[in-house]
Amino acid sequence: MKKQIALPITSEQILESIQRAKKGDQKSFSFLLDTFWSDVYSFQILRTRNENDAEDITIRTFSKAFDKIDTFDESYEFKTWLITISKNIHIDLIRKKKSELSHKTLPQEESNLYNVADDTPTAEDNLITEQNLATLLQHIKRLKPHYQQVINLRYFQELSYTEIAKELNEPLNNVKVKLLRAKKLLAEIIHQKKN
């Protein structure tokens, strides 16, 4: 089996994906998440020095970015826009923690939701469904617990995104991004085992 060499992603591909994402194209959301995840995550690791916090802020960043993607000005760099959102979320979380400590207030849940059409199976979806169940369960156990949980709720308990959001007490857009990321990581684990 020949190893495929990944070609660098061009700014035209990114721009095209942004334009398709603005129209609700699921594959474009996935492409943007895959392309920029490590940039945002690395930025937050340096700021928070905590993997869980960095991952949570990165998920929130993509949730907010996908929710507001129609406001993105294409004359700017998408990565810079994401990093700015990420930085603001981190600052807001720090402020909220300080406020909660001094006022003992409860955090308010975000009310804005975005629609990501998910009626067409992605490559990750196809890989998940074609795997032997026992092997698949072994692969899923290699994911972090919160990714295992969303995979379990979506594919084994067959809950809708709304039901998962209610079950986890998280905003719907966070659940969508977390599931996109979980499927991507699971597909990478499956590909590693095949090679």
Side-chain angles (χ1 to χ4, degrees):
M1 182 179 277
K2 268 189 174 179
K3 215 172 195 179
Q4 292 182 338
I5 299 171
L7 297 173
I9 295 169
T10 65
S11 55
E12 289 82 18
Q13 288 173 301
I14 292 167
L15 185 59
E16 189 178 311
S17 287
I18 293 166
Q19 291 166 348
R20 286 197 315 259
K22 285 182 177 184
K23 296 175 184 171
D25 181 66
Q26 172 70 27
K27 289 180 183 172
S28 296
F29 283 113
S30 203
F31 171 81
L32 293 170
L33 181 74
D34 294 345
T35 303
F36 294 102
W37 176 272
S38 52
D39 293 319
V40 177
Y41 179 77
S42 299
F43 174 76
Q44 281 303 330
I45 276 286
L46 291 173
R47 290 176 68 94
T48 64
R49 306 218 183 280
N50 180 303
E51 285 184 21
N52 292 329
D53 289 347
E55 194 162 33
D56 181 53
I57 294 168
T58 303
I59 287 169
R60 290 177 188 221
T61 299
F62 281 97
S63 295
K64 191 168 201 164
F66 291 167
D67 182 39
K68 304 288 185 190
I69 195 143
D70 57 329
T71 66
F72 174 67
D73 181 346
E74 294 167 7
S75 63
Y76 295 101
E77 289 290 323
F78 192 68
K79 177 180 167 182
T80 306
W81 187 62
L82 287 171
I83 296 294
T84 303
I85 291 170
S86 180
K87 183 172 76 175
N88 291 337
I89 289 172
H90 185 233
I91 291 168
D92 289 346
L93 287 173
I94 291 170
R95 284 184 189 142
K96 194 178 283 186
K97 283 180 184 175
K98 285 180 183 177
S99 174
E100 284 175 13
L101 289 175
S102 63
H103 297 98
K104 302 278 186 193
T105 59
L106 297 173
Q108 293 184 348
E109 189 173 295
E110 293 174 24
S111 61
N112 294 334
L113 305 176
Y114 68 96
N115 284 328
V116 178
D118 78 338
D119 52 358
T120 55
T122 62
E124 290 89 358
D125 288 325
N126 292 334
L127 275 172
I128 289 169
T129 54
E130 71 186 33
Q131 292 298 309
N132 173 295
L133 184 59
T135 306
L136 180 59
L137 291 173
Q138 288 176 344
H139 294 324
I140 291 171
K141 285 181 181 176
R142 293 181 58 200
L143 295 171
K144 289 185 177 180
H146 62 274
Y147 289 139
Q148 290 179 32
Q149 188 176 30
V150 292
I151 291 279
N152 177 38
L153 292 171
R154 181 73 174 147
Y155 293 103
F156 294 102
Q157 296 184 31
E158 298 181 352
L159 298 182
S160 69
Y161 285 131
T162 307
E163 292 168 330
I164 295 170
K166 194 177 278 186
E167 173 83 18
L168 299 178
N169 194 25
E170 284 191 32
L172 181 61
N173 47 356
N174 281 16
V175 169
K176 289 180 178 183
V177 170
K178 206 178 271 189
L179 194 58
L180 276 175
R181 183 69 182 154
K183 290 191 301 184
K184 170 70 175 165
L185 293 172
L186 185 57
E188 287 174 5
I189 290 168
I190 291 168
H191 280 298
Q192 287 173 357
K193 286 291 182 184
K194 281 185 174 182
N195 293 335

